[in-house]
C-alpha cells in the first residue's frame, strides 16, 4: 500500500471512530462522507435537538499533494494527534484551519 492510500485508510478509520459516538442530547445522527477520488472526508451531525435543527460539520479533512489538510476539527482532543499516533508524520499534516501565515509557527506542515 502506498503512502497516500495509507493516509486515506487512517483518515477514514479516525472519522469512523468519532462517528461511533452519538451526541448525548437530541435526536442526532452522524453522517460520514468519504470521497477517495477527490481526497475529501467529513463527519457531520444531523438531526434535531428539541426545536433546534442540527446540521453541523464535526471533521473535514482533504488529502491533496501528498499532505493531509485538516480543514475543520471539532473534536475534543484533536485528530492531528490521532493521525500522528497512527504513524503519519507532522510534516504531512497541515492545520488548514489556521490562517496560512500562522501555520509556520506550528510543528506541522504548511500549505
Amino acid at each position: 500500500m502506498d503512502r497516500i492510500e495509507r493516509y486515506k485508510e487512517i483518515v477514514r478509520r479516525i472519522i469512523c471512530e468519532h462517528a461511533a459516538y452519538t451526541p448525548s442530547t437530541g435526536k442526532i445522527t452522524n453522517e460520514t462522507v468519504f470521497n477517495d477520488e477527490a481526497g475529501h472526508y467529513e463527519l457531520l451531525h444531523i438531526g434535531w435537538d428539541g426545536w433546534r435543527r442540527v446540521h453541523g460539520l464535526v471533521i473535514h479533512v482533504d488529502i491533496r499533494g501528498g499532505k493531509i489538510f485538516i480543514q475543520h476539527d471539532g473534536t475534543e482532543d484533536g485528530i492531528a494527534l490521532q493521525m500522528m499516533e497512527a504513524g503519519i508524520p507532522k510534516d504531512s499534516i497541515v492545520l488548514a484551519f489556521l490562517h496560512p501565515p500562522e501555520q509556520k509557527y506550528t510543528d506541522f506542515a504548511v500549505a
Side-chain angles (χ1 to χ4, degrees):
M1 176 183 310
D2 76 345
R3 180 174 56 96
I4 300 304
E5 288 304 314
R6 188 171 63 87
Y7 287 179
K8 290 177 182 180
E9 181 182 307
I10 291 168
V11 168
R12 285 190 305 263
R13 181 179 50 79
I14 289 170
I15 289 177
C16 285
E17 287 172 6
H18 285 278
Y21 298 103
T22 304
S24 59
T25 61
K27 293 185 178 186
I28 300 168
T29 60
N30 294 323
E31 181 175 304
T32 57
V33 179
F34 299 153
N35 183 335
D36 285 327
E37 288 182 27
H40 185 77
Y41 307 88
E42 293 182 355
L43 171 62
L44 295 106
H45 283 172
I46 300 171
W48 292 92
D49 186 7
W51 286 93
R52 185 176 69 90
R53 176 70 173 154
V54 175
H55 186 270
L57 191 61
V58 180
I59 298 171
H60 176 182
V61 174
D62 292 322
I63 299 175
R64 61 178 188 262
K67 294 182 181 178
I68 297 172
F69 290 76
I70 301 175
Q71 304 289 358
H72 179 78
D73 184 356
T75 66
E76 190 170 324
D77 295 326
I79 59 173
L81 297 175
Q82 289 180 280
M83 290 177 184
M84 291 184 322
E85 289 171 358
I88 298 174
K90 286 183 181 181
D91 63 359
S92 291
I93 301 170
V94 176
L95 303 180
F97 53 83
L98 294 176
H99 194 264
E102 295 175 350
Q103 292 173 5
K104 66 183 175 188
Y105 298 115
T106 72
D107 289 336
F108 294 93
V110 296

